[in-house]
Amino acid sequence: MVTIGHYLVLSSVLFAIGAGGVLLRRNGIATLLGIELMLNAANVAFVAFAKQHGNLEGQVVVFFVMAVAAAEVAVGLALLVAIFRRLQSIDVDRLSAMRW
Amino acid sequence: MELWVFYLAAAAAVASALVAVTHRNPVINVLALIVTFFCVAVNFALMGADFLAGAQVLIYAGAILVLFLFVVMLLGAPTVSAEENPRPIQKTLGAFLAALVAAAGFFFFRGFSGEGLASPHAGVTTHALGRLLVGPHLFAFELVSVVLLAALIGALVLVKRKH
């Protein structure tokens, strides 16, 4: 019997891996991949709670998260392409023009 | 049986997620994340969310990560992978913060273990989900289409070359 605890532990592990990716990597693409992983981890938790409570509202939220994630990825990748054209690099540490 | 499918999918998801964030080659990162998203789709299907499992494969694995692959190819994989070592402070601090997130999630969610999940929804949920989307959530549903349009135009404007 799979309990909600199983799914929530999976969700928090995936979220932590995504957060680690965002914090540890300096490659812009890897950072965006980490954000996607965190969004997906939250989706797992939403579906688990939707099943726990026996209603579908959680699944509706996941649907919206997917749509917004698609929009976020399109804009984020476009930003990366623009940054690459300007700096010839997507190392996010080199984006220091607005530092302090 | 259900438990074994869950453990298999969860182990594959965690392993491929680790590869996705640690490997130095961006193409491998993206391909590993596709595996993760397929495993998450398996978990959705296990939880009776059949529409979301399909949408996960179509939207995430099919569209979003292919977009990632296109950009990796566009920027040139060798250039992208030339990443210097993270600074020691970033490495330790980042690992510490990620471990903190994991610990917080674990201790927060530990209270939920032990409760069994409600029995799966009878039949497919797609019909009920569609009713909810065009019923109580119609405004948000329409708003999402505007958000997607704005993202489309924004992406076009951002990558447009100035003549």
Side-chain angles (χ1 to χ4, degrees):
Chain A
M1 182 66 192
V2 190
T3 66
I4 189 170
H6 286 89
Y7 290 114
L8 294 180
V9 166
L10 172 68
S11 163
S12 56
V13 167
L14 286 181
F15 190 92
I17 293 173
V22 171
L23 291 170
L24 289 170
R25 299 295 302 270
R26 279 156 57 194
N27 183 334
I29 287 180
T31 308
L32 275 181
L33 287 176
I35 293 173
E36 289 305 303
L37 196 54
M38 288 196 283
L39 285 169
N40 241 275
N43 283 353
V44 172
F46 265 120
V47 176
F49 278 116
K51 191 179 177 196
Q52 174 80 5
H53 294 288
N55 74 4
L56 286 172
E57 299 282 329
Q59 295 196 20
V60 173
V61 174
V62 171
F63 178 81
F64 288 135
V65 169
M66 278 182 183
V68 174
E72 172 252 323
V73 161
V75 176
L77 288 174
L79 277 174
L80 275 184
V81 171
I83 288 166
F84 184 77
R85 280 197 189 139
R86 200 175 182 84
L87 299 179
Q88 298 302 311
S89 158
I90 53 168
D91 187 338
V92 289
D93 266 17
R94 292 188 56 189
L95 303 174
S96 53
M98 288 178 71
R99 191 184 222 174
W100 296 336
Chain B
M1 174 66 192
E2 197 190 347
L3 201 60
W4 284 110
V5 174
F6 169 79
Y7 278 131
L8 195 66
V14 171
S16 56
L18 279 173
V19 172
V21 299
T22 54
H23 204 278
R24 304 192 72 78
N25 185 345
V27 178
I28 303 232
N29 290 156
V30 175
L31 292 178
L33 206 63
I34 291 182
V35 177
T36 310
F37 285 172
F38 266 99
C39 296
V40 171
V42 169
N43 280 315
F44 283 173
L46 265 183
M47 286 186 271
D50 46 1
F51 173 74
L52 289 179
Q56 172 88 5
V57 172
L58 283 177
I59 298 175
Y60 267 113
I64 292 183
L65 288 179
V66 170
L67 195 63
F68 267 104
L69 269 186
F70 268 116
V71 171
V72 170
M73 307 282 175
L74 183 70
L75 301 187
T79 330
V80 174
S81 65
E83 183 184 4
E84 304 131 62
N85 283 323
R87 299 188 183 104
I89 177 80
Q90 183 188 9
K91 216 170 191 171
T92 45
L93 208 62
F96 174 71
L97 286 175
L100 206 65
V101 169
F106 180 76
F107 284 113
F108 177 70
F109 287 141
R110 207 172 46 164
F112 292 103
S113 58
E115 300 166 37
L117 283 179
S119 60
H121 304 283
V124 291
T125 58
T126 313
H127 185 256
L129 199 60
R131 286 274 169 209
L132 274 177
L133 278 177
V134 295
H137 301 284
L138 184 60
F139 182 70
F141 187 68
E142 295 296 335
L143 203 62
V144 157
S145 66
V146 180
V147 168
L148 285 172
L149 182 66
L152 179 71
I153 296 170
L156 278 176
V157 169
L158 280 170
V159 299
K160 190 168 156 295
R161 286 181 193 280
K162 304 201 170 43
H163 293 292

